[in-house]
């Protein structure tokens, strides 16, 4: 089990990244930022660029769309880390048709080996109506399952709405 | 008013069924499981089968897509009961173009007559963007109205995210 | 900063308007109701009509799809006010392609000048899967940003599900 793992759940534009960043930067730095977004188009590039501008200096950024477990294992075990976000990481693996169960197991093992504090940002995507297409339903189910698994091993879980946290755990 | 009614709200794959099942099985059994799902296609059959495998032994399962009130009235009044889920029951009645107000009234009357503990699982579906088509909007409105009615008569309401409960009532 | 501003967040048919109205009418009246809905079609007209019927007497209704800031400035500064809802007001401005940042600034200034209690109802729309079309994504992002801004200046924030409030702030 990780010593200090916070899962930060929330919807789109709920302020979950900003909340997590504020908690990380209250620790002694440097802080490691694992960015899982892939810039497929201009809209995505603009979002990633804006996130980068929004962050204060002092972050070491790692762009890791797939191998988050390997990246975590390569970092100093007690360094503060933010992974933003888990749901994009899942999306990347789903679209690449990777074996999700192997990926989940590798991620959980890497998380368990951390000694320093770690924050994982994830989207809650299951609170709208049932999507029309089967891939969207599969994504929604997997995202929910992954959130449950990470929440089970987390020491703290926060649900963010309008920038404000509700404590689900810890 | 029912003596002990818990409404378990949550999104898709939020862990709401598992949460409710864990609470039910903390009671003295046997436990009655009222399943409202109708298996129209392979995907739905797979979901229902998985839910069945996930449950431990000791459950008496009733497959009741429509007449949940009648089923509740036929069970021993003090037996622990789980209804999973209310939102599929609503969907079944909506698609069959039944009189929803009559159905709600019958359900509320049957719930009021229970002496044993009862759990009702329901989906929260109103937290995404407005759906494109009118039927989806009608469904979303009705699901929200039904959740409000059941919440008003519940002794406890829990909102589940990532498998973890937030207390909305009781 | 406003002295007494409550943001009431929730999904469709979550009971957020009814919750807000109950809080407003616990104050000494008359109460001012700023309705931002525009009736483009029969469905919307029916929703607006139903909301009107649901309200008790004693309300002074102002239909203000755009200029909420001006309306607030014209009301007695200590009168209780309900704005329902912020998300439709945003939709109106988005569709009219107005400058949102100017609108947000004017709204925040008008809110800061209130001495009486004010309630703002808003939709949480970011908890479903990513919408297919770019306009819906833009709307979802703006609604989330606006909710964060108003939440930051609010003295109280409530998240409503099934008619029941969770305290996010105050």
């Amino acid at each position: 089990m990780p010593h200090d793992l916070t899962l930060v759940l929330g919807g789109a534009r709920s302020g979950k990244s900003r909340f997590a960043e504020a908690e990380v930067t209250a620790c002694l730095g440097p802080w490691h930022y694992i960015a899982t977004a892939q810039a497929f188009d201009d809209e995505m590039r603009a979002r990633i660029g804006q996130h980068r501008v929004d962050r204060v200096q002092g972050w070491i950024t790692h762009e890791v769309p797939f191998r988050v477990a390997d990246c975590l294992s390569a970092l100093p075990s007690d360094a503060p880390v933010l992974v933003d976000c888990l749901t994009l990481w899942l999306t990347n693996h789903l679209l690449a048709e990777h074996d999700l169960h192997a990926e989940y197991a590798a991620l959980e093992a890497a998380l368990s080996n951390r000694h320093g504090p770690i924050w994982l940002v994830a989207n809650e995507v299951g609170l709208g109506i049932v999507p029309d297409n089967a891939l969207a339903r599969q994504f929604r189910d997997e995202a929910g399952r992954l959130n449950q698994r990470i929440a089970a091993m987390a020491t703290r879980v926060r649900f963010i709405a309008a920038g404000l946290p509700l404590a689900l755990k810890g």
Side-chain angles (χ1 to χ4, degrees), chain A:
Chain A
M1 294 287 285
H3 291 83
D4 186 354
L5 188 159
T6 302
L7 175 63
V8 181
L9 274 177
R13 279 287 159 188
S14 60
K16 56 193 185 308
S17 293
R18 196 188 310 181
F19 175 85
E21 286 165 23
E23 290 206 337
V24 176
T25 54
C27 301
L28 194 67
W31 318 295
H32 292 269
Y33 185 94
I34 300 181
T36 61
Q38 287 185 291
F40 289 119
D41 57 25
D42 287 349
E43 183 179 331
M44 204 65 209
R45 256 186 295 277
R47 278 173 190 258
I48 294 172
Q50 188 58 46
H51 269 292
R52 202 169 286 154
V53 168
D54 289 349
R55 283 197 298 279
V56 298
Q57 292 215 305
W59 289 92
I60 301 166
T61 299
H62 312 265
E63 303 209 352
V64 188
F66 291 101
R67 310 194 63 163
V68 169
D70 290 352
C71 182
L72 286 172
S73 303
L75 296 178
S77 167
D78 55 357
V81 177
L82 170 57
V83 179
D84 191 355
C85 80
L86 215 51
T87 314
L88 281 172
W89 171 82
L90 168 65
T91 304
N92 295 338
H93 281 293
L94 258 178
L95 293 177
E97 301 187 5
H98 291 168
D99 175 358
L100 296 181
H101 292 288
E103 297 299 334
Y104 291 178
L107 178 63
E108 287 171 339
L111 291 172
S112 293
N113 288 329
R114 302 295 309 163
H115 288 100
I118 179 161
W119 284 258
L120 296 156
V121 173
N123 276 76
E124 172 57 58
V125 297
L127 290 159
I129 65 159
V130 180
D132 283 334
N133 73 78
L135 181 61
R137 286 196 297 277
Q138 188 201 347
F139 164 68
R140 193 171 77 144
D141 283 357
E142 285 300 338
R145 267 189 214 108
L146 176 58
N147 288 347
Q148 286 187 52
R149 287 176 74 147
I150 302 298
M153 75 189 299
T155 46
R156 296 162 74 231
V157 182
R158 296 293 177 268
F159 181 88
I160 311 294
L164 302 167
L166 280 170
L168 279 162
K169 186 178 184 177

